[in-house]
Every structure is written in structure tokens, then in C-alpha cells.
Amino acid sequence: MSESTVLVLGSDPPPKLDRLAGRARVIYADETSLAGLLPTADVLLAWDFTSDAIREAWPESGPRPRWVHTASAGVDRLLCPALIADDTLVTNARGVFEQPIAEYVAGLVIAMAKDFYGTWELQRQRRWQHRETLRVAGTRAVVVGSGPIGRAIGTTLTALGVKVDLVGRRARADDPEFGLVHPSEALNGLLPEADWVVCAAPLTEATRGLFGKEAFALMPSRARFVNIGRGQLVVEKDLVEALRGWRIAAAALDVFEQEPLTADSPLWDVPHLIVSPHMSGDTLGWRDALAEQFQDNFDEWAAGRPLRNLVDKRLGYVPVQ
Amino acid sequence: MSESTVLVLGSDPPPKLDRLAGRARVIYADETSLAGLLPTADVLLAWDFTSDAIREAWPESGPRPRWVHTASAGVDRLLCPALIADDTLVTNARGVFEQPIAEYVAGLVIAMAKDFYGTWELQRQRRWQHRETLRVAGTRAVVVGSGPIGRAIGTTLTALGVKVDLVGRRARADDPEFGLVHPSEALNGLLPEADWVVCAAPLTEATRGLFGKEAFALMPSRARFVNIGRGQLVVEKDLVEALRGWRIAAAALDVFEQEPLTADSPLWDVPHLIVSPHMSGDTLGWRDALAEQFQDNFDEWAAGRPLRNLVDKRLGYVPVQ
């Protein structure tokens, strides 16, 4: 096999790609230079996965990469009709973020149950004020998204004694991990019983705005909502209204319609809303793990073997086997 | 059996003891009236378990209750030489607090690993600042205390993928839950490897001041310390010094040498110290659960059957079977 050209979008910081030395020419693009360089590349690594540039620059015709790997779980930022239609393979970072995100969500659930946020505010005020809090074991969670991240969240909450209903696109009656996976049509029937609603769905045309006025109206007033998927899965103004109107008890958002949040965003100080800067999956060493994963997949590519974490471009995610 | 007299210390709020109606005369004492009423009672319920009055009022001789039940896990507030020496039975609230406390500790561990406190401070400042945080799975915890609370904490952390070393008074090689339980002499050898050190020991003469200068010096600088046992297990000034000197990374205290903390306590604003008002085990309904548990044990007492949760007064806790 002749030397491949690997085009990397983003270099702040650059990935460690030592293992490609002598096997691939690595060139870097930014959002401006991407369109001009795409026709020269065999492989595109979407290292900066927060950019919309790939979707915007993807050629309608002519030479283009035969493989695109994104250093993220979601592929919503890069998929466009031309990329979906052609035969370019798309792979993602499945395997890197699941466990950290599951821990993060479990921590949020406990923090909300035990009112850590109230405790910290009282500490600031130097006030000793005992309260009774919630037991996590025995509560019910609806986890939306039956991919690896939703599954890891479901498994971790189950280990804490939470009864978990996992919701996917389609029903599965004999799921090896959860037994039953509910279909998306069942969601509205599950929401009224939920203590916790966790959004871990991929962003697709079917899921955009999934959590809006109607969903929040179906949740009980004790419900607490967590989104670690993509900001566009939630209609932020409807969530804010639900919180301000005490329609639901609390929420935590790690992802937003527009990122980063600017200092004047109204979301920073909505009552009972926890805001974090899209970091739920990012543990120390995550960038190295992403670079290793890409290089492992490059080994498959170079050997002519099937790629791992192949995205079904029409579905918009890697189907669970 | 003739009608018993049940003396209750504390009535704010009073316990719901409906099931004693017609079977026992229930009278209430406060700290002042306790000494005068003790000789008239068959059973003493230490409903206010934060008082030292029992220890101070316990008679050296003459009539006294034959059974003392405390609405707490720890019995350190009531044991005194005369009570240890006589044949009065002592029982505790084992079974009520374990799961809530284990959840609380797991939440603190994740909150510290994921820097929830930093995130919340940045939210107050309306600042979007991405950070890399810690993965919980694969870290190591030393849990000191092999009673039901320490065990529940160990089990919950294990479910999160943490490698747990449980430390009890004596070694056990074939523990049904943990396999190995380390003896107290092994603690100093375990501390240097710990990411998390959790104190869930009973307060006895052997454990008072267990976590002081020497213990903090043995912990690695990444270690985070949690105390949900009793305040006197920790030498607070040594902990403050360890935190101010960056000797260890962070700590969370739910219990204190003096409770409640007054507004002028220096503990409220030590860097990287989380302060909560002795509430880790107190979930909604906890008081009703405590009253039910006492009444269940009263049924045993009235029937002449062995009491549950019998404290070994010399050890200062209920031995694990």
C-alpha cells in the first residue's frame, strides 16, 4: 500500500500520531484551509469535533477521503447529505467516553438527591442547616439513548439501586444487558413515573428538540433532568420555563444549543439548573486515548481489514450489535 | 408481663410510638430531668442521640433501665464505665443509615473526581472553562470501619469500579463480602496507595484521633479524605494543616469535634474542604424508620426474645456476624 495522506482538522493541541510515522503523510487543516485540502486526503481525522467545517466543506464530487474518523461519540457535526450518500466510511470514538460519562451522571444524580448544591451554598454562608435528603436506591430513571453511553449510564445507575428504563429507537425484548429496551414511542408513557430523566441520545433529525414543552409537562414535579448528549436535543427555553415554573425539580446541562455559553447567557442563573462546560466525558488522558484509538483503527485500514466503530450514516450512530 | 415504662430522652420532634399503646407507659425526659427519671424506667430510648446526658446521669447503683436503645449507629455518646459494667442491654439503629450514607459517600467521591465544586463556582462567575477530570473506575479507596456502614460504602464504591481495601479492628481472611478485611495495624501501609480514604469507624478509645498528622503525612498528595463517622476520629487542626499545605488534595467532613459548627468556625472556608451538617444518613422518613425499628425491638423485648442489634459494650459497636 502506498503512503496515505491523513488530513487532521484541528491542532490545538495536536494529536500524538507517532505510530503513523513512515506510513502516512500527516497534514493539518483549519476551518479555512479544509475545503482546499480535502481532495488531497485519503483519511480525515476530525480532531476538532466541535467544528461544522466538514459538513460545510464536503465535496459534492471529485476526490475526497475514503474514511473519516471523528474524535467524538456523536457524528452530528460532520454528517451532510453528500457524505451520507457517498461511500466514504465514517467511524467514531466509541469506547473512550462511556465510563467517564456514566460516572458523571451518577454523580449528578447523587448530588441532586443529597442536595450537595444547597450544602455548598450554606457552607459559603457559614450556616449549619440540617436537611433530610433523598435515597437514590429504589428511585426510577428513564435513560434515553440505547447506545454505549446510555447503556453505561444505565448500568451504573442500576448498580446504585436505581430502576432503569432504557429507551432506544426500536424495541428490543431480549437485550443482553437490560432485557427490555423500550422503543422511542414508549417514552411519553415512561416520563410520568421518572425520578430521573437522562438524555444520552444521538442528535438526529428524529431526536432534535426531543425534550421540549410536551416532555417536561409529562414529567412529575419531583423529576430531575440531565442532558449529556447534544444541546439541540433539548429546547432550552422550554426547560427554563419548566424550571422557573417549578414544573420539574431540577436539571443539569453539560451540552447546549450554542457552545460555549457566553457570559450573558440566561442559563447561568436559572434556579435549580446546574451548568457545566461540555466536559462530562473528558477525563485526564482523554486526548491520548482518542489518538491511540484512531491509530489502532488506522492499523486496520492499512491492513485492509474492516474498520471498528463504523457509523451507520443513515441512522447517525454506530448500531449496537 | 406487666406494663413497662419506656423513658424517652428527647421530644423535638417526638417519636411516633403508637404501637406501644396499652403495652408501655411512655414518659419523656430532657437533659435536666433524665437523672431523676432513670430509676423509674425499664427501657430507655435515646431519641436525642446528640446528647451526653445519659453518660453523665447513668446511676452507679440502684434501679435503672435494663435496656437502652439509641436512635443512632454510634453508641459513643452514651457508653460510660457504669453502663459498660452492668448488665443493661444496649442496642443501636443498625440498618437505617447504611445505604443512605454509602450513596452520600459515593456522591462525594464522584463530585471530587469530577470537580463539581469547581464547576459550580465557575457557574456563579458565568465562566465557561473546560477542564479534564478524573475517572473514578480504577482508583483505590481505603475504607476504615468494617461495620455495616463501612461495608455498604465499600460495596457501593466497588460497584463504581473502585478497588476497595476495607480496614477493621481485626484481620479476616475469608470475609463473605470482601474476602480480605485488613486489621487496623495494616492501615498505615495502605494509606500511601489510596486515592480515597473514607472514615466510617466507630468512635472508641482505640480510634479517637485516628486521622491526625501521621495519617495525613502517609497519604499521597492526590488523596481525598471523607469522614462520615464521628468528628473525634479526626484531629481537625491536623486536617486543616494538611489541606492548607497541599499535603492532600481535598476532604469532606460531615461530622465534627464540636457540633453544630458555629458561624465563626475556621472550618467553613478551608480550601478544598467540603463541610456538611451531619446529614449523610438522614433521608426523608428516617425518623419514622428509627421509631419503627425501636418498636420492632420492643416486640422482641416484650416477648422475652433476644434483642436485635445488640451492642458489645466493651467493643463499642455491634460486632458483624
Tab-separated table of all heavy atoms in Angstrom, chain A residues 46-67:
chain	number	residue	atom	x	y	z
A	46	ALA	N	-11.257	14.048	12.247
A	46	ALA	CA	-11.930	15.219	12.813
A	46	ALA	C	-11.506	15.338	14.271
A	46	ALA	O	-12.211	14.903	15.175
A	46	ALA	CB	-13.442	15.082	12.682
A	47	TRP	N	-10.322	15.887	14.461
A	47	TRP	CA	-9.759	16.023	15.810
A	47	TRP	C	-10.489	17.141	16.556
A	47	TRP	O	-10.845	16.998	17.714
A	47	TRP	CB	-8.264	16.318	15.680
A	47	TRP	CG	-7.508	16.371	16.973
A	47	TRP	CD1	-6.901	17.456	17.527
A	47	TRP	CD2	-7.256	15.280	17.866
A	47	TRP	NE1	-6.288	17.115	18.704
A	47	TRP	CE2	-6.498	15.777	18.943
A	47	TRP	CE3	-7.611	13.912	17.855
A	47	TRP	CZ2	-6.078	14.982	19.995
A	47	TRP	CZ3	-7.196	13.121	18.914
A	47	TRP	CH2	-6.436	13.655	19.975
A	48	ASP	N	-10.715	18.257	15.885
A	48	ASP	CA	-11.594	19.284	16.436
A	48	ASP	C	-13.016	18.884	16.055
A	48	ASP	O	-13.485	19.139	14.960
A	48	ASP	CB	-11.250	20.660	15.871
A	48	ASP	CG	-12.284	21.703	16.320
A	48	ASP	OD1	-13.149	21.365	17.162
A	48	ASP	OD2	-12.207	22.836	15.833
A	49	PHE	N	-13.684	18.239	17.005
A	49	PHE	CA	-15.006	17.687	16.698
A	49	PHE	C	-16.105	18.700	16.994
A	49	PHE	O	-17.276	18.371	16.939
A	49	PHE	CB	-15.228	16.392	17.488
A	49	PHE	CG	-14.963	16.565	18.949
A	49	PHE	CD1	-15.925	17.101	19.782
A	49	PHE	CD2	-13.732	16.226	19.495
A	49	PHE	CE1	-15.671	17.284	21.123
A	49	PHE	CE2	-13.474	16.413	20.840
A	49	PHE	CZ	-14.439	16.943	21.661
A	50	THR	N	-15.722	19.921	17.340
A	50	THR	CA	-16.745	20.928	17.637
A	50	THR	C	-17.016	21.821	16.419
A	50	THR	O	-17.783	22.766	16.497
A	50	THR	CB	-16.309	21.836	18.802
A	50	THR	OG1	-15.206	22.643	18.341
A	50	THR	CG2	-15.881	21.023	20.012
A	51	SER	N	-16.385	21.500	15.317
A	51	SER	CA	-16.481	22.353	14.133
A	51	SER	C	-17.547	21.832	13.175
A	51	SER	O	-17.759	20.628	13.042
A	51	SER	CB	-15.114	22.366	13.431
A	51	SER	OG	-15.239	22.935	12.148
A	52	ASP	N	-18.220	22.756	12.508
A	52	ASP	CA	-19.162	22.389	11.444
A	52	ASP	C	-18.492	22.411	10.071
A	52	ASP	O	-19.160	22.236	9.047
A	52	ASP	CB	-20.334	23.374	11.433
A	52	ASP	CG	-21.228	23.186	12.649
A	52	ASP	OD1	-21.504	22.028	13.001
A	52	ASP	OD2	-21.646	24.205	13.237
A	53	ALA	N	-17.181	22.600	10.041
A	53	ALA	CA	-16.500	22.853	8.770
A	53	ALA	C	-16.561	21.660	7.812
A	53	ALA	O	-16.636	21.850	6.594
A	53	ALA	CB	-15.039	23.233	9.027
A	54	ILE	N	-16.543	20.443	8.353
A	54	ILE	CA	-16.529	19.282	7.464
A	54	ILE	C	-17.835	19.205	6.683
A	54	ILE	O	-17.856	19.039	5.462
A	54	ILE	CB	-16.296	17.986	8.280
A	54	ILE	CG1	-14.886	18.025	8.894
A	54	ILE	CG2	-16.476	16.744	7.395
A	54	ILE	CD1	-14.654	16.965	9.949
A	55	ARG	N	-18.916	19.330	7.413
A	55	ARG	CA	-20.238	19.315	6.773
A	55	ARG	C	-20.326	20.385	5.682
A	55	ARG	O	-20.893	20.169	4.621
A	55	ARG	CB	-21.279	19.581	7.869
A	55	ARG	CG	-22.679	19.443	7.456
A	55	ARG	CD	-23.570	19.305	8.669
A	55	ARG	NE	-23.550	20.496	9.521
A	55	ARG	CZ	-24.121	20.541	10.719
A	55	ARG	NH1	-24.739	19.472	11.198
A	55	ARG	NH2	-24.073	21.636	11.434
A	56	GLU	N	-19.738	21.532	5.979
A	56	GLU	CA	-19.836	22.637	5.029
A	56	GLU	C	-18.883	22.470	3.846
A	56	GLU	O	-19.178	22.931	2.742
A	56	GLU	CB	-19.575	23.972	5.757
A	56	GLU	CG	-20.762	24.359	6.629
A	56	GLU	CD	-20.403	25.313	7.778
A	56	GLU	OE1	-19.290	25.863	7.776
A	56	GLU	OE2	-21.265	25.473	8.678
A	57	ALA	N	-17.753	21.789	4.064
A	57	ALA	CA	-16.729	21.717	3.016
A	57	ALA	C	-16.768	20.412	2.230
A	57	ALA	O	-16.032	20.255	1.259
A	57	ALA	CB	-15.338	21.887	3.652
A	58	TRP	N	-17.604	19.470	2.638
A	58	TRP	CA	-17.542	18.153	1.997
A	58	TRP	C	-17.888	18.259	0.519
A	58	TRP	O	-18.910	18.806	0.153
A	58	TRP	CB	-18.486	17.169	2.688
A	58	TRP	CG	-18.163	15.753	2.302
A	58	TRP	CD1	-18.846	14.978	1.419
A	58	TRP	CD2	-17.056	14.977	2.756
A	58	TRP	NE1	-18.236	13.756	1.284
A	58	TRP	CE2	-17.129	13.717	2.097
A	58	TRP	CE3	-15.996	15.217	3.634
A	58	TRP	CZ2	-16.177	12.713	2.315
A	58	TRP	CZ3	-15.062	14.223	3.840
A	58	TRP	CH2	-15.167	12.979	3.179
A	59	PRO	N	-17.018	17.734	-0.369
A	59	PRO	CA	-17.233	17.914	-1.813
A	59	PRO	C	-18.419	17.108	-2.339
A	59	PRO	O	-18.647	15.980	-1.916
A	59	PRO	CB	-15.924	17.419	-2.444
A	59	PRO	CG	-15.154	16.756	-1.378
A	59	PRO	CD	-15.764	17.028	-0.062
A	60	GLU	N	-19.141	17.713	-3.251
A	60	GLU	CA	-20.263	17.020	-3.903
A	60	GLU	C	-19.759	15.977	-4.901
A	60	GLU	O	-20.449	15.009	-5.208
A	60	GLU	CB	-21.146	18.025	-4.646
A	60	GLU	CG	-21.865	19.025	-3.752
A	60	GLU	CD	-23.084	18.432	-3.052
A	60	GLU	OE1	-23.639	17.433	-3.569
A	60	GLU	OE2	-23.463	18.954	-1.974
A	61	SER	N	-18.529	16.225	-5.407
A	61	SER	CA	-17.984	15.292	-6.385
A	61	SER	C	-16.465	15.388	-6.358
A	61	SER	O	-15.919	16.243	-5.673
A	61	SER	CB	-18.509	15.651	-7.786
A	61	SER	OG	-18.089	16.972	-8.103
A	62	GLY	N	-15.812	14.507	-7.108
A	62	GLY	CA	-14.357	14.553	-7.213
A	62	GLY	C	-13.678	13.812	-6.076
A	62	GLY	O	-14.333	13.167	-5.258
A	63	PRO	N	-12.354	13.892	-5.998
A	63	PRO	CA	-11.608	13.153	-4.988
A	63	PRO	C	-11.933	13.642	-3.577
A	63	PRO	O	-12.179	14.831	-3.362
A	63	PRO	CB	-10.140	13.411	-5.326
A	63	PRO	CG	-10.116	14.395	-6.431
A	63	PRO	CD	-11.492	14.682	-6.892
A	64	ARG	N	-11.906	12.719	-2.669
A	64	ARG	CA	-12.235	13.037	-1.270
A	64	ARG	C	-11.735	11.888	-0.396
A	64	ARG	O	-11.456	10.804	-0.921
A	64	ARG	CB	-13.741	13.208	-1.126
A	64	ARG	CG	-14.488	11.897	-1.218
A	64	ARG	CD	-15.952	12.087	-1.474
A	64	ARG	NE	-16.182	12.518	-2.841
A	64	ARG	CZ	-17.386	12.728	-3.367
A	64	ARG	NH1	-18.477	12.596	-2.631
A	64	ARG	NH2	-17.533	13.079	-4.621
A	65	PRO	N	-11.643	12.078	0.919
A	65	PRO	CA	-11.206	10.989	1.790
A	65	PRO	C	-12.158	9.806	1.688
A	65	PRO	O	-13.372	9.973	1.554
A	65	PRO	CB	-11.251	11.612	3.191
A	65	PRO	CG	-11.134	13.079	2.964
A	65	PRO	CD	-11.842	13.341	1.673
A	66	ARG	N	-11.570	8.630	1.801
A	66	ARG	CA	-12.404	7.420	1.782
A	66	ARG	C	-12.821	7.017	3.195
A	66	ARG	O	-13.609	6.117	3.391
A	66	ARG	CB	-11.633	6.285	1.096
A	66	ARG	CG	-11.591	6.441	-0.418
A	66	ARG	CD	-10.502	5.567	-1.028
A	66	ARG	NE	-9.163	6.020	-0.641
A	66	ARG	CZ	-8.109	5.227	-0.454
A	66	ARG	NH1	-8.224	3.919	-0.642
A	66	ARG	NH2	-6.936	5.709	-0.110
A	67	TRP	N	-12.206	7.678	4.168
A	67	TRP	CA	-12.519	7.364	5.565
A	67	TRP	C	-12.447	8.640	6.400
A	67	TRP	O	-11.480	9.390	6.307
A	67	TRP	CB	-11.528	6.317	6.095
A	67	TRP	CG	-11.577	6.082	7.574
A	67	TRP	CD1	-12.661	6.158	8.404
A	67	TRP	CD2	-10.463	5.759	8.430
A	67	TRP	NE1	-12.311	5.892	9.699
A	67	TRP	CE2	-10.959	5.622	9.751
A	67	TRP	CE3	-9.107	5.537	8.194
A	67	TRP	CZ2	-10.145	5.313	10.835
A	67	TRP	CZ3	-8.288	5.213	9.276
A	67	TRP	CH2	-8.811	5.098	10.582
